[in-house]
Amino acid sequence: MRHQTGRRRRQPSESSNGSLASRRSSFAQNGNSSRKSSELRGPCEKVVHTAQDSLFSTSSGWTNFRGFFNLSILLLVLSNGRVALENVIKYGILITPLQWMSTFVEHNYSIWSWPNLALILCSNIQIVLVLGVEKVLERGWLGNAFAAVFYTVLVIVHLTIPVVVTLTHTWKNPLWSVGMMGVYVIEALKFISYGHVNYWARDARRKITELKTQVTDLAKKTCDPKQFWDLKDELSMHQMAAAYPSNLSFSNIYYFMAAPTLCYEFKFPRTLRIRKHFLIKRTVELIFLSFLIAALVQQWVVPTVRNSMKPLSEMEYSRCLERLLKLAIPNHLIWLLFFYTFFHSFLNLVAELLRFADREFYRDFWNSETISYFWKSWNIPVHRFAVRHIYSPMMRNNFTKMSAFFVVFFVSAFFHEYLVSVPLKMFRLWSYYGMMGQIPLSYITDKIVRGGRTGNIIVWLSLIVGQPLAILMYGHDWYILNFGVPSATNQTVII
Amino acid sequence: MRHQTGRRRRQPSESSNGSLASRRSSFAQNGNSSRKSSELRGPCEKVVHTAQDSLFSTSSGWTNFRGFFNLSILLLVLSNGRVALENVIKYGILITPLQWMSTFVEHNYSIWSWPNLALILCSNIQIVLVLGVEKVLERGWLGNAFAAVFYTVLVIVHLTIPVVVTLTHTWKNPLWSVGMMGVYVIEALKFISYGHVNYWARDARRKITELKTQVTDLAKKTCDPKQFWDLKDELSMHQMAAAYPSNLSFSNIYYFMAAPTLCYEFKFPRTLRIRKHFLIKRTVELIFLSFLIAALVQQWVVPTVRNSMKPLSEMEYSRCLERLLKLAIPNHLIWLLFFYTFFHSFLNLVAELLRFADREFYRDFWNSETISYFWKSWNIPVHRFAVRHIYSPMMRNNFTKMSAFFVVFFVSAFFHEYLVSVPLKMFRLWSYYGMMGQIPLSYITDKIVRGGRTGNIIVWLSLIVGQPLAILMYGHDWYILNFGVPSATNQTVII
């Protein structure tokens, strides 16, 4: 983003040369100008004062305050740089990259000592099973009723396996479980999309045989343009039906399982080649930013959360607020880094490797003026899935907009809670409430504030404050669950 | 500044109504579009994936990151709000507005118990003296040599009086002395401008009588256009000379002394009427912001400076840097508030009362890409004075640009030091070095960095870091001068 110099650069009023010639020409210019106040002009100087407004007065019409943007960025860097320096003076360096490495190395070289990786490998069974069932359904040996029951059971079982394994095992670092469960959630959503689209294709094939005679009958009776549209509709159905069973192959389903999307299509747009430069850049970003995130968490977030436990259980409100704000800045920075690392670096890396051409993994969520635009733009794979496989089917089945909206947020809230509560082995519903709280907040920004800059600020504020609030809640409860009440003098009731 | 919504708002892809009619029309649209990947289209859904780049990829051509500006402002408010909250938790409320009031009230109701106010009132003697001398000079009873000696002596005496009074008196609050000395400096500069312009007018009158015959002689000889320019030049001189001695009146000189400018002109541009709304707004701003500045200094700056004394005398570098950055943020905020309060609220208030129409008290210094543009734009009254009465006369007398530039900065550095050292009764030259340091810095931004965003950041950085550095220097020395060395174990040598 290049800083444009759209400034009103006035010519400095010193005449660079005091010789008579230059003064003459400046007088000649003044003679042409229509300044009224130039009547009284000294022989050595141009007129100094002219009637004009100050730039901060709205009447001046001045709008270029671009330099203040640089200032705010600079103050942000300096003020948080100071807090970071204070942190290092207080705690020293807490980052331990060698220890991170050792978590990979210290295990035995048996796959079962890495239960999370084993679980991910096991999920191939479900993938193959889905492909097999789709083959059976295609041949018409079993009906759509069976398909509905099969997919429901499959998804429930698929989401239950990691819960059972996680809750029965004991391991120190819940991060690996979060990663594994994330993969399982993604797979579950992909299964739903895969089954849904194949169902549409079968439906299209069936309708075509039904309608083929109907269309010829109608064409005989009328020449209504509506019939022409129906024909176009059937044509599209026809294309789908024609492509149909050929998509049911190992390579097709595995490409979909690996692709950075949750919406199944028979054929994805592809790029012509893998760009090596692009690949290298994204890989370097991925590695560097992952390390940076881990370092920031260890150095900045962990001590802050730990120091928040006492004020939080003693319910000192001003201290709690101070802790919340202290956590909010690094947390938000980490969230932004995470967003870039995952949605830009990682998904683009995967897409480049698979020559997957649709790179719209996010839209301009940073400009969101309403909460609903934020949820429509920050995570496009999930947004597309929700629209295509939850919202639109509900609309087609005559549910109200409001109820479809509610169901989408409910499903999202469920998965948020699922990914947090199970690895922490602690069911508190803070994430769930956080997600469900988006619905009234969305009403405020959409209907009351009606977007604009205020809307944008509310969106950012909900992100900056909402997340650390949830982290403090979970951190506090987790701490008490694992280490007991921090202050013996002050017993707090944990709900 | 209204937030423009130049965003690419995509239509959300959910079709609001699942009925066949709406789907038909959407298919009709798709039929017209040239999307290649739309060949395989399900009967229930539009195509989901199209080949496109991520917005953070430069190839996407996306440039609207406006929302991040709101974010940076928000993070700035939150992170410094937290520091402010920490400060209140640590020190409680330190602001004492009642005590500020008492400084006005506690004195006897004799004018001599307010020596600063008495001094300002006394300066009327100099004003009347200047007018009297100008009257004498106008009549030709005394020559320009006398004028040169008179003004030199006057300015030296005028600037010496407050120094003598300040150094011989003892009072607790050096702020009042700073205010009084500021008024004296402004008066001194106004005297110079007044004398200079009146000298030009006498010079013009003299030249006209000399040239009148010359011009007619020349006109007889040639019709060179250069002669025409000379005539124009003389016309302007003539105007000045014609207006001349009528300006030498009490009302004229007192209007100039009160007007928010340092450059004398015979006739200033005036507004037609005093706008009451404007007046009220500026008055409210002036009162509110002055209180805010005083409160911020007492609550935030004073404890920070006090806490910096020990690390500063022990020369712990990382702690010193932390203290410097801790001071930099509130100091810069206060500087910005002071700038707005003085240059916008106060000077506009005075100008409105005097119906003074030229409100250009500052230009867009916030967009400065070079140090020299910053000094040309942040304080227009002083900039105009320096150009008109120091730089341009030196250029006319064949000094080099560099030496004129140097003299301007030297004079400025002198007055900066004058306004700080005398009230603190401590001569350390930190301000002087700060101002003179602008010359090499100006070379860097003008010639090496050559403006742009980097130049703007350097300008801001020099302001943000330079000022608190000087404050810490003075604060440290003042503390030691008044309270002795803070740490008995570690004696530091004060230069």
Side-chain angles (χ1 to χ4, degrees):
Chain A
M1 202 167 65
R2 179 87 186 104
H3 179 58
Q4 292 179 342
T5 54
R7 299 181 291 118
R8 181 176 64 158
R9 271 258 207 178
R10 305 208 187 177
Q11 287 298 318
S13 57
E14 60 264 51
S15 51
S16 58
N17 195 318
S19 73
L20 199 66
S22 78
R23 272 186 287 136
R24 264 179 205 146
S25 63
S26 79
F27 281 127
Q29 280 168 7
N30 275 344
N32 294 330
S33 78
S34 59
R35 282 178 172 180
K36 282 192 178 173
S37 48
S38 67
E39 282 160 26
L40 285 164
R41 190 166 53 223
C44 294
E45 285 304 316
K46 288 175 270 179
V47 148
V48 177
H49 301 93
T50 50
Q52 54 193 324
D53 283 316
S54 298
L55 299 188
F56 286 140
S57 294
T58 43
S59 50
S60 74
W62 185 264
T63 56
N64 185 356
F65 296 95
R66 213 176 287 267
F68 285 118
F69 178 61
N70 291 337
L71 173 65
S72 66
I73 296 285
L74 201 60
L75 286 180
L76 203 58
V77 169
L78 286 180
S79 55
N80 287 297
R82 186 195 67 78
V83 175
L85 184 66
E86 200 183 34
N87 170 295
V88 171
I89 291 173
K90 203 166 164 188
Y91 302 113
I93 300 290
L94 300 175
I95 304 159
T96 52
L98 288 176
Q99 195 184 307
W100 307 341
M101 297 295 153
S102 69
T103 60
F104 290 99
V105 178
E106 70 189 1
H107 292 91
N108 305 324
Y109 287 94
S110 152
I111 191 73
W112 296 111
S113 60
W114 288 3
N116 291 316
L117 187 63
L119 271 174
I120 290 172
L121 291 176
C122 281
S123 69
N124 281 300
I125 297 167
Q126 287 93 304
I127 297 171
V128 174
L129 183 66
V130 163
L131 181 63
V133 167
E134 281 298 336
K135 288 249 180 214
V136 168
L137 290 167
E138 187 268 321
R139 289 181 193 172
W141 296 345
L142 286 164
N144 285 332
F146 171 78
V149 173
F150 167 73
Y151 276 104
T152 312
V153 172
L154 175 82
V155 168
I156 291 171
V157 170
H158 190 77
L159 291 176
T160 311
I161 293 169
V163 175
V164 172
V165 174
T166 305
L167 293 182
T168 53
H169 272 69
T170 51
W171 42 63
K172 280 177 190 169
N173 198 338
L175 267 182
W176 301 122
S177 325
V178 173
M180 177 272 291
M181 294 182 71
V183 171
Y184 261 70
V185 167
I186 289 166
E187 282 176 345
L189 298 177
K190 287 192 183 203
F191 290 153
I192 292 168
S193 183
Y194 189 77
H196 212 164
V197 172
N198 280 315
Y199 159 71
W200 290 337
R202 285 197 306 278
D203 200 42
R205 197 167 58 170
R206 183 182 53 76
K207 273 188 185 164
I208 282 166
T209 49
E210 275 179 26
L211 286 167
K212 254 179 186 166
T213 46
Q214 259 183 290
V215 170
T216 42
D217 288 359
L218 280 166
K220 282 170 196 166
K221 285 176 200 165
T222 62
C223 271
D224 190 352
K226 272 192 180 177
Q227 303 306 326
F228 179 64
W229 278 342
D230 270 339
L231 268 173
K232 278 191 82 108
D233 203 354
E234 299 323 310
L235 205 69
S236 146
M237 267 190 188
H238 194 76
Q239 285 168 343
M240 198 175 191
Y244 177 48
S246 71
N247 68 300
L248 297 178
S249 68
F250 271 101
S251 64
N252 184 289
I253 195 172
Y254 269 99
Y255 185 84
F256 172 55
M257 295 311 286
T261 179
L262 299 173
C263 287
Y264 179 62
E265 280 192 310
F266 286 177
K267 206 176 164 186
F268 292 106
R270 304 286 290 269
T271 56
L272 291 175
R273 59 181 193 86
I274 297 174
R275 292 167 292 175
K276 283 216 182 65
H277 259 92
F278 188 87
L279 212 63
I280 291 167
K281 273 192 218 162
R282 296 293 89 79
T283 310
V284 170
E285 277 176 6
L286 183 64
I287 294 169
F288 173 73
L289 293 175
S290 303
F291 268 77
L292 184 63
I293 289 171
L296 283 172
V297 168
Q298 229 181 358
Q299 180 74 41
W300 206 349
V301 172
V302 171
T304 310
V305 172
R306 200 181 291 138
N307 288 342
S308 310
M309 293 305 109
K310 200 161 166 291
L312 208 66
S313 41
E314 288 175 4
M315 287 297 180
E316 292 178 56
Y317 287 109
S318 59
R319 279 229 161 267
C320 283
L321 182 63
E322 194 269 333
R323 285 290 106 184
L324 180 66
L325 291 176
K326 184 141 198 175
L327 186 59
I329 310 294
N331 175 74
H332 193 70
L333 187 64
I334 288 165
W335 183 79
L336 289 175
L337 287 174
F338 160 77
F339 177 85
Y340 187 88
T341 311
F342 187 80
F343 283 88
H344 189 75
S345 305
F346 179 69
L347 292 187
N348 262 305
L349 179 65
V350 172
E352 193 71 26
L353 283 171
L354 294 173
R355 299 198 292 104
F356 185 85
D358 190 348
R359 307 295 171 87
E360 197 191 45
F361 307 122
Y362 53 88
R363 287 179 197 151
D364 59 331
F365 74 88
W366 49 87
N367 293 332
S368 309
E369 294 180 355
T370 60
I371 292 283
S372 57
Y373 186 76
F374 172 77
W375 288 105
K376 276 175 198 159
S377 57
W378 91 277
N379 185 335
I380 291 299
V382 165
H383 169 66
R384 280 179 180 166
F385 179 89
V387 169
R388 194 187 193 210
H389 298 294
I390 305 175
Y391 191 90
S392 294
M394 282 184 74
M395 295 311 280
R396 279 199 295 277
N397 289 297
N398 298 321
F399 285 90
T400 62
K401 256 187 164 182
M402 195 59 216
S403 61
F405 194 70
F406 186 83
V407 168
V408 168
F409 272 90
F410 175 79
V411 170
S412 174
F414 168 77
F415 283 114
H416 272 84
E417 192 59 46
Y418 177 84
L419 286 175
V420 174
S421 287
V422 175
L424 289 179
K425 303 181 186 183
M426 192 174 72
F427 298 86
R428 288 291 180 277
L429 296 183
W430 302 125
S431 289
Y432 175 82
Y433 293 137
M435 273 307 295
M436 292 316 267
Q438 300 299 316
I439 296 174
L441 210 55
S442 169
Y443 179 79
I444 292 169
T445 55
D446 290 25
K447 306 290 171 185
I448 299 173
V449 176
R450 291 172 169 279
R453 170 168 276 194
T454 319
N456 186 243
I457 287 174
I458 292 175
V459 171
W460 281 121
L461 216 54
S462 77
L463 281 172
I464 295 172
V465 175
Q467 290 174 3
L469 202 62
I471 290 176
L472 281 185
M473 296 296 194
Y474 280 107
H476 174 255
D477 293 3
W478 195 76
Y479 189 87
I480 288 180
L481 211 69
N482 288 276
F483 304 98
V485 178
S487 154
T489 56
N490 211 326
Q491 291 268 342
T492 48
V493 182
I494 318 296
I495 304 141
Chain B
M1 200 167 70
R2 180 85 187 103
H3 179 58
Q4 291 180 341
T5 53
R7 301 181 291 114
R8 180 176 64 159
R9 272 257 207 179
R10 305 208 186 176
Q11 288 299 319
S13 57
E14 60 265 50
S15 50
S16 59
N17 194 318
S19 74
L20 199 64
S22 77
R23 272 186 287 136
R24 263 179 206 147
S25 64
S26 78
F27 281 128
Q29 280 169 6
N30 276 344
N32 294 331
S33 78
S34 59
R35 283 178 171 181
K36 284 193 179 171
S37 48
S38 67
E39 283 160 26
L40 286 165
R41 189 164 56 224
C44 295
E45 285 304 317
K46 288 176 269 179
V47 148
V48 177
H49 301 92
T50 51
Q52 55 192 323
D53 282 318
S54 299
L55 298 187
F56 286 140
S57 296
T58 44
S59 50
S60 75
W62 185 263
T63 56
N64 183 356
F65 295 94
R66 213 175 287 265
F68 284 118
F69 178 60
N70 292 336
L71 174 66
S72 65
I73 296 286
L74 202 60
L75 286 181
L76 202 58
V77 169
L78 287 180
S79 56
N80 288 296
R82 186 196 67 78
V83 176
L85 184 66
E86 200 182 33
N87 169 296
V88 171
I89 292 173
K90 203 165 163 187
Y91 302 113
I93 301 290
L94 300 175
I95 304 158
T96 53
L98 287 176
Q99 196 184 305
W100 308 342
M101 296 296 152
S102 70
T103 59
F104 290 98
V105 179
E106 70 189 359
H107 292 91
N108 305 324
Y109 287 94
S110 151
I111 193 70
W112 295 111
S113 61
W114 288 2
N116 291 315
L117 187 62
L119 271 174
I120 290 172
L121 291 176
C122 282
S123 69
N124 281 299
I125 298 166
Q126 288 93 304
I127 296 171
V128 174
L129 184 65
V130 164
L131 180 63
V133 168
E134 281 299 333
K135 287 247 179 216
V136 169
L137 289 167
E138 189 268 319
R139 289 181 194 171
W141 297 344
L142 286 164
N144 285 333
F146 171 77
V149 173
F150 167 74
Y151 276 104
T152 311
V153 172
L154 176 81
V155 167
I156 290 170
V157 170
H158 190 77
L159 290 176
T160 312
I161 294 169
V163 176
V164 172
V165 174
T166 304
L167 293 182
T168 53
H169 272 69
T170 50
W171 41 63
K172 280 176 191 170
N173 198 339
L175 266 182
W176 301 122
S177 326
V178 174
M180 177 273 290
M181 294 182 70
V183 172
Y184 262 69
V185 167
I186 289 166
E187 283 176 345
L189 298 177
K190 286 191 183 205
F191 290 153
I192 292 168
S193 183
Y194 189 77
H196 212 165
V197 172
N198 280 315
Y199 159 72
W200 291 337
R202 283 197 306 280
D203 200 44
R205 197 169 57 171
R206 182 182 55 76
K207 273 189 184 163
I208 283 167
T209 49
E210 277 178 22
L211 285 168
K212 253 179 187 165
T213 46
Q214 257 183 290
V215 170
T216 42
D217 289 359
L218 281 167
K220 281 172 195 165
K221 284 178 198 161
T222 62
C223 270
D224 191 348
K226 273 192 179 177
Q227 304 306 324
F228 179 63
W229 279 343
D230 270 339
L231 269 173
K232 280 190 81 107
D233 204 353
E234 301 321 312
L235 205 70
S236 145
M237 270 190 187
H238 196 77
Q239 286 168 345
M240 201 174 188
Y244 179 50
S246 70
N247 68 300
L248 297 177
S249 68
F250 273 101
S251 63
N252 184 289
I253 195 173
Y254 270 99
Y255 185 85
F256 171 56
M257 295 310 286
T261 179
L262 299 174
C263 287
Y264 180 62
E265 279 192 310
F266 286 177
K267 206 177 164 188
F268 292 106
R270 304 286 289 268
T271 56
L272 291 175
R273 58 180 193 84
I274 296 174
R275 292 166 294 175
K276 283 216 182 67
H277 259 92
F278 187 88
L279 213 62
I280 292 167
K281 273 193 221 162
R282 296 294 87 81
T283 310
V284 170
E285 276 175 6
L286 182 63
I287 295 169
F288 173 73
L289 292 175
S290 304
F291 269 76
L292 184 63
I293 289 171
L296 283 173
V297 168
Q298 229 182 357
Q299 181 73 44
W300 206 349
V301 172
V302 170
T304 309
V305 172
R306 199 181 292 139
N307 288 342
S308 310
M309 293 305 110
K310 199 162 168 287
L312 207 65
S313 42
E314 290 176 3
M315 287 295 180
E316 291 178 55
Y317 287 109
S318 60
R319 278 228 162 266
C320 282
L321 182 63
E322 194 269 335
R323 283 291 105 184
L324 180 67
L325 290 176
K326 184 139 196 175
L327 185 59
I329 310 294
N331 175 74
H332 192 72
L333 186 65
I334 287 165
W335 183 79
L336 289 175
L337 286 175
F338 160 77
F339 177 86
Y340 186 89
T341 311
F342 187 79
F343 284 87
H344 189 75
S345 305
F346 178 68
L347 292 187
N348 262 305
L349 179 64
V350 172
E352 193 70 27
L353 283 170
L354 295 171
R355 299 199 292 106
F356 185 84
D358 190 348
R359 308 294 170 87
E360 197 192 43
F361 307 121
Y362 53 87
R363 287 180 197 150
D364 59 331
F365 74 86
W366 49 88
N367 293 333
S368 311
E369 294 180 356
T370 60
I371 291 282
S372 58
Y373 187 76
F374 172 77
W375 289 106
K376 275 175 198 158
S377 57
W378 92 277
N379 186 337
I380 291 299
V382 164
H383 169 67
R384 280 179 180 166
F385 179 89
V387 168
R388 196 188 192 208
H389 298 294
I390 305 174
Y391 190 91
S392 294
M394 283 184 74
M395 294 313 280
R396 279 198 296 276
N397 288 299
N398 299 322
F399 286 89
T400 62
K401 255 187 165 182
M402 196 59 217
S403 61
F405 195 70
F406 186 83
V407 169
V408 168
F409 271 91
F410 175 80
V411 170
S412 175
F414 168 77
F415 282 115
H416 271 86
E417 192 60 44
Y418 177 85
L419 286 174
V420 174
S421 288
V422 175
L424 289 178
K425 303 181 185 182
M426 191 174 73
F427 298 85
R428 288 291 180 277
L429 297 183
W430 301 127
S431 288
Y432 175 81
Y433 293 136
M435 271 310 292
M436 293 316 267
Q438 300 300 314
I439 296 174
L441 209 57
S442 171
Y443 180 79
I444 291 170
T445 54
D446 290 26
K447 306 288 172 186
I448 300 173
V449 176
R450 292 173 169 279
R453 169 166 277 193
T454 319
N456 186 243
I457 287 173
I458 292 175
V459 171
W460 281 121
L461 216 53
S462 77
L463 282 171
I464 296 172
V465 176
Q467 289 174 3
L469 203 62
I471 290 176
L472 281 185
M473 297 296 196
Y474 281 106
H476 174 255
D477 294 2
W478 195 76
Y479 189 89
I480 287 179
L481 211 68
N482 287 277
F483 304 99
V485 179
S487 154
T489 57
N490 212 324
Q491 291 265 346
T492 48
V493 181
I494 317 296
I495 305 141

